[in-house]
């Protein structure tokens, strides 16, 4: 079950989301030193969304979490729901992961997003995600080339 945290509850759970971001987003020397504070502010003001993922087994323990944001291409005007960070803390059933993905697709559509996008450094994870979506979607390679030494 995918549970979105309301803005008023973000500060109470922020340590969990800091860990989700830390595990999912690689750091670089040129990143702002206060980026976690900026993300906390963005979450508390609704500019990013924080989600917890639970199995549907009645247990109150979540197995993972996700941070998303609605991104708008300023040239085309197209909206997408960007999965900024996604982390599993323990193994989840295939059925649970499919339910989370289906819920996220429904939410993205309700928010007027044409698609869901994600940064994914692993081709295997990307291919598995497409399989879970019955092969619909495509993998677009994003190349990140450092300009420094």
């Amino acid at each position: 079950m995918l549970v979105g945290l309301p803005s008023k509850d973000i500060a109470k759970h922020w340590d969990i989301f800091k860990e989700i971001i830390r595990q999912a987003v690689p750091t670089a020397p040129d990143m702002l030193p206060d980026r976690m504070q900026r993300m906390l502010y963005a979450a508390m003001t609704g500019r990013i969304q924080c989600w917890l993922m639970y199995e549907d087994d009645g247990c109150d323990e979540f197995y993972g979490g996700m941070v998303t944001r609605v991104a708008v291409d300023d040239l085309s005007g197209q909206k997408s729901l960007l999965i900024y960070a996604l982390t599993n803390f323990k193994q989840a059933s295939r059925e649970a992961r499919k339910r989370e993905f289906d819920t996220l697709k429904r939410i993205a559509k309700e928010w007027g997003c044409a698609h869901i996008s994600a940064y994914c450094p692993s081709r295997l994870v990307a291919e598995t995600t497409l399989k879970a979506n019955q092969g619909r979607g495509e993998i677009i390679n994003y190349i990140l080339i450092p300009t420094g030494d």
Side-chain angles (χ1 to χ4, degrees):
M1 177 171 47
L2 186 63
V3 177
L5 267 67
S7 298
K8 65 181 179 63
D9 292 340
I10 297 295
K12 184 169 75 174
H13 295 89
W14 187 242
D15 285 343
I16 296 165
F17 289 98
K18 278 197 317 193
E19 186 59 26
I20 290 167
I21 294 165
R22 231 188 307 281
Q23 286 189 27
V25 180
T27 58
D30 60 338
M31 287 185 171
L32 296 170
D34 65 341
R35 75 183 180 114
M36 284 297 184
Q37 273 306 115
R38 290 169 176 260
M39 287 185 203
L40 172 58
Y41 180 76
M44 292 177 74
T45 57
R47 288 184 30 235
I48 62 174
Q49 302 79 40
C50 296
W51 309 86
L52 291 174
M53 299 177 293
Y54 296 85
E55 287 273 7
D56 285 336
D57 58 4
C59 180
D60 286 342
E61 189 176 333
F62 58 90
Y63 70 83
M66 174 180 354
V67 176
T68 62
R69 69 183 285 265
V70 173
V72 180
D73 183 312
D74 62 344
L75 299 176
S76 70
Q78 191 174 42
K79 288 171 62 174
S80 69
L81 185 63
L82 171 66
I83 300 173
Y84 185 79
L86 171 63
T87 299
N88 284 354
F89 295 110
K90 64 180 191 174
Q91 186 65 28
S93 70
R94 178 174 288 158
E95 294 79 23
R97 289 192 313 263
K98 181 169 179 358
R99 272 193 307 273
E100 317 311 8
F101 191 69
D102 288 345
T103 300
L104 194 62
K105 285 193 316 187
R106 182 182 48 75
I107 290 167
K109 187 174 184 176
E110 287 172 7
W111 290 353
C113 297
H115 54 268
I116 296 172
S117 58
Y119 296 118
C120 186
S122 165
R123 182 127 185 123
L124 178 61
V125 170
E127 289 170 353
T128 303
T129 302
L130 288 184
K131 283 181 190 170
N133 195 38
Q134 298 152 345
R136 293 188 310 264
E138 66 181 302
I139 298 170
I140 299 172
N141 296 317
Y142 178 78
I143 300 170
L144 187 62
I145 301 169
T147 57
D149 296 336

